[in-house]
Amino acid sequence: KISGVALTAVTQLVLWVLLAAAAIGAIQRANPDLFAQARQQQTAHAIASVHKESGDRAHRSDYCRAACDYVAAHLSQPIREQELADLLHITPEYFSRLFSRSMGITLTEYVHRAKLRQVARLVLDGGADLRTAADAVGIASTKYLSRLFRQYMGMSITEYKKIHNAPELTNEAPEDPFL
């Protein structure tokens, strides 16, 4: 139920909108060039916004590409957002948002996945033991490495090795999210 005061206010607002539309129509008919120029400016502004946005996207992907390259080159070291943000000359908060939006995961998760991918390669291809693999990716504790591996892979490193080294699976190993 609408009160009389609210109905009056709405009626007045509608009348003002109608008057404004009529006034704009009259001005447009009197000065068509002015309105055409305004439309051209709006169009140019819209196109510039699209170009800027796509340029920003390209810039964002450059940041993420540089961060991913850095992670790949420094797997054996601790990697922190602050460090990458400093290298890219952006704030850690901006880097965090940008990386998460562009990659769909956080930097920490990306680093964990990259390190675990390397561990899987070392264990399967190189026959490395857990301690050697942990050292190669800069993880000090084999217990922590085992926990991370189980968290991301859903199985222990020993189970992973058995599945991927099983003779009956040599031609068709199960799909591996890391390799």
Side-chain angles (χ1 to χ4, degrees):
K1 207 171 190 185
I2 299 175
S3 72
V5 174
L7 189 56
T8 305
V10 170
T11 305
Q12 287 178 347
L13 180 62
V14 169
L15 287 174
W16 277 108
V17 169
L18 291 173
L19 285 172
I24 290 172
I27 294 170
Q28 186 176 7
R29 284 188 297 280
N31 299 311
D33 293 337
L34 179 67
F35 272 83
Q37 184 181 10
R39 252 189 318 251
Q40 286 174 343
Q41 287 175 345
Q42 285 176 334
T43 303
H45 179 70
I47 291 170
S49 293
V50 168
H51 284 298
K52 181 185 181 306
E53 185 178 309
S54 63
D56 287 348
R57 263 190 251 123
H59 200 59
R60 282 193 301 247
S61 67
D62 289 344
Y63 282 140
C64 289
R65 191 174 306 111
C68 293
D69 290 346
Y70 182 87
V71 168
H74 296 87
L75 274 180
S76 64
Q77 302 166 3
I79 299 168
R80 293 179 176 65
E81 279 184 358
Q82 178 71 50
E83 177 182 359
L84 282 165
D86 290 345
L87 288 169
L88 296 170
H89 305 291
I90 57 178
T91 67
E93 295 79 15
Y94 178 65
F95 174 75
S96 178
R97 271 194 320 272
L98 183 122
F99 192 89
S100 295
R101 286 182 186 159
S102 296
M103 301 296 289
I105 58 174
T106 65
L107 176 67
T108 301
E109 187 171 346
Y110 181 83
V111 170
H112 285 160
R113 287 181 182 191
K115 288 184 180 217
L116 292 173
R117 189 172 29 252
Q118 182 63 20
V119 166
R121 283 188 194 118
L122 291 170
V123 167
L124 288 180
D125 301 337
D129 65 348
L130 195 56
R131 175 77 263 149
T132 305
D135 289 341
V137 295
I139 296 177
S141 165
T142 55
K143 185 176 181 179
Y144 179 63
L145 174 59
S146 295
R147 189 166 34 108
L148 270 180
F149 199 90
R150 183 176 292 279
Q151 177 184 346
Y152 282 89
M153 293 298 294
M155 65 182 83
S156 71
I157 294 174
T158 305
E159 293 167 331
Y160 182 86
K161 280 174 35 176
K162 284 179 185 174
I163 289 172
H164 285 80
N165 286 331
E168 66 273 8
L169 297 176
T170 53
N171 291 336
E172 275 196 43
E175 187 176 323
D176 185 345
F178 289 125
L179 297 178

